Amino acid sequence: MSDERPIRLSVEAEIAGGPALLAEATRGYGGPGVDALAVDTEKVKGTFYRPRTASGLPVVVIGGSGGGVPWQQAALLAAEGHPALAVAYFAFPGLSADLRDVPIERFVAATDWLRGQTGQQSIGVIGTSRGSEAAALLATYFPAGISRVVLLVPSHVVNGGFGPGVSGPAAAWTLRGRPVPFVTSTRQQQTRMARALAQDGARAPGFVGTPTFLESWVAPGAEERYGIPLERFPGRVLAIGGAADTMWPSAVGAARIVERVRRTGAPDRARAVILEGAGHSISVPPFANAMSHFSIHPVAKQFVSIGGVPRYNCEGQLEAWKALREVLAGALDATAEA
């Protein structure tokens, strides 16, 4: 399990040489009303956050390219009454170190496990960054019992494998035993990205991935061949992107996800929230901070640029979390786009 100790912050100020003023705050996640249960079965690994008084929709939480367990989101949701299963699918004990050939059926098993624990048939799914692909593929091909999907800083197309053991094109996901087709960069793009990683990944603010990803995502035929057909999903979809995301162009991904769903004649089922000035760090409060425009990637072990202005990253997190909570509660104003 990840380190779930609360964050403690102390601020000391001195005015004109006068006595110091001290303010202290503690930021927790689940709280005393939430029990955390480690889950380790053949098909499901992660942590289940069970509110002692459950009042909300059960949710499967799928994290991004950092791997491990996305416990912060799940713990916060549980504190608000949502039974939440934070799923591990790579870079976790007993699983591959790489995001490669991950069966979408692994997430089906997670939804079945959560239903069994809660006794509720209707559940929600939240996917962040690379996890947005898994969440969208899950809802597209195995929609039974899923009523809501929230995609945070998402991609609208399937991308390739990732991790220290992936040196060339490889599938990130499989479906019914077959690789899910994915966008690939040209040789020139791959060379340019490799050089940028070697140069910029060694120091802050790190590697900027958005230009290369954007080039691949909007290449002729990319969406037709590799786009996730989420219009097949009959439930509600919320996609949230950062307009200043430098890790990848999540604003483009969010907008195109919703455009695709709406083209089927169901405009009331999907909403895009595009957060101006915000980067990739809008997935869970309180991740954003004064240094949140870059980070050391936990799997790549390199500096990566996340983007955004710290103020708008912080405000964007609150706005994203508000929209997420509203759609899980049943509200979805498809006409209101930020």
Side-chain angles (χ1 to χ4, degrees), residues 134-206:
L137 288 166
L138 171 65
T140 295
Y141 295 104
F142 303 96
I146 300 174
S147 59
R148 290 163 181 77
V149 172
V150 179
L151 307 173
L152 296 160
V153 289
S155 170
H156 65 296
V157 295
V158 178
N159 296 273
F162 165 80
V166 178
S167 58
W173 319 104
T174 65
L175 180 65
R176 301 185 177 98
R178 302 182 65 180
V180 178
F182 56 93
V183 294
T184 54
S185 303
T186 65
R187 186 175 297 276
Q188 291 82 0
Q189 289 170 328
Q190 292 171 0
T191 300
R192 191 164 61 245
M193 180 177 282
R195 288 174 178 170
L197 275 168
Q199 178 177 334
D200 300 332
R203 62 182 188 278

Side-chain angles (χ1 to χ4, degrees), residues 13 24 32 56 82 84 93 101 175-176 195 210 217 251 263 269 277 288 297 310 325 330 337:
E24 295 184 340
H82 296 276
D101 295 331
L175 180 65
R176 301 185 177 98
R195 288 174 178 170
T210 287
W217 288 8
R263 282 200 299 267
R269 289 199 297 108
H297 195 283
R325 293 168 62 192
E337 299 197 11

Side-chain angles (χ1 to χ4, degrees), residues 7 15 32 38 89 120 124-125 229 232 269 305 307 313 319 328 332:
I7 298 171
I15 302 174
Y89 59 94
Q120 297 190 45
V125 177
R232 300 182 185 180
R269 289 199 297 108
S305 178
N313 286 340
E319 190 170 344
L328 291 182
L332 179 62

